[in-house]
């Protein structure tokens, strides 16, 4: 693992672990803001818990677990995707700058929203990072090309010795017995 990944993953994950712990410990403080997003989500995903506090706690738990997994390098691509999935509703619920009346509050919420978008970009990059190893898709494509080349070589190797025998058979067929 490169030094950049070794240092960067825990740095990226730290905000999610800290924020997730806060959501797990005191979901009631975040529930009023989350209700705007949880209501429509609950209609689309009926398996979500009934109480908004439980959804906030679930979101925080996913952030803590996925953040720790990203920080320690355990399934980093999957954990980055999970964090990105939790970040979208968190941003929409918590940083609604377009609704703020006060210009100072609006600017602060816009900064937080853009910060979350930046973190989402980092998470998407982390989710795409193969750690220097080729992806499964790349390996599959190259293996298929290798197999095609090997099959073509095999066809050529079978045809080459068969040509003189085929020519002899053709000459024999033309000669009277």
């Amino acid at each position: 693992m490169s030094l950049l990944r070794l240092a960067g993953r825990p740095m990226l994950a730290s905000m999610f672990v800290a924020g997730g712990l806060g959501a797990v410990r005191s979901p009631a403080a975040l529930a009023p803001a989350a209700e705007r997003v949880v209501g429509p989500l609950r209609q689309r995903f009926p398996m979500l818990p009934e109480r908004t506090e439980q959804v906030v706690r679930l979101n925080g738990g996913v952030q803590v677990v996925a953040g720790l997994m990203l920080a320690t390098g355990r399934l980093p691509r999957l954990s980055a995707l999970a964090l990105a999935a939790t970040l979208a509703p968190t941003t929409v619920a918590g940083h609604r700058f377009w609704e703020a009346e006060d210009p100072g509050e609006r600017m602060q919420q816009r900064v937080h929203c853009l910060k979350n978008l930046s973190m989402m970009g980092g998470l998407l990059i982390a989710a795409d990072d193969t750690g220097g190893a080729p992806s499964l898709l790349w390996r599959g494509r190259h293996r298929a090309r290798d197999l095609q080349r090997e099959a073509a070589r095999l066809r050529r190797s079978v045809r080459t010795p068969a040509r003189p025998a085929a020519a002899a058979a053709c000459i024999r067929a033309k000669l009277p017995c």
Side-chain angles (χ1 to χ4, degrees), residues 59-108:
N59 188 51
V62 170
Q63 286 182 345
V64 170
V65 171
L68 290 172
M69 288 175 64
L70 180 64
T72 58
R74 304 281 186 235
L75 299 173
R77 297 175 74 190
L78 182 63
S79 59
L81 279 177
L83 289 171
T86 65
L87 188 58
T90 300
T91 302
V92 172
H95 305 297
R96 301 173 74 87
F97 65 90
W98 55 91
E99 292 179 352
E101 299 285 329
D102 180 43
E105 176 70 19
R106 177 176 291 180
M107 189 169 115
Q108 183 182 16

Side-chain angles (χ1 to χ4, degrees), residues 172-177:
R172 270 192 219 130
K174 292 179 183 178
L175 294 175
C177 292

Side-chain angles (χ1 to χ4, degrees), residues 7-50:
R9 285 178 180 162
M11 292 167 72
L12 181 59
S14 64
M15 184 68 184
F16 296 99
V17 174
L21 283 173
V24 168
R25 288 181 182 155
S26 58
L30 302 171
E35 183 59 43
R36 295 178 182 160
V37 175
V38 171
L41 281 177
R42 198 178 288 125
Q43 290 174 356
R44 290 195 73 158
F45 304 101
M47 75 283 294
L48 285 175
E50 288 296 319

Side-chain angles (χ1 to χ4, degrees), residues 6 10 20 30 35 38 50 53 59-60 66 70 90 105 110 112 117-118 120 126 130-131 144 154 157 166 171 175-176:
L6 188 66
L30 302 171
E35 183 59 43
V38 171
E50 288 296 319
E53 289 85 6
N59 188 51
L70 180 64
T90 300
E105 176 70 19
R110 184 180 299 138
H112 285 297
L117 287 176
S118 299
M120 187 174 290
T130 60
L154 185 59
S157 69
I171 291 172
L175 294 175

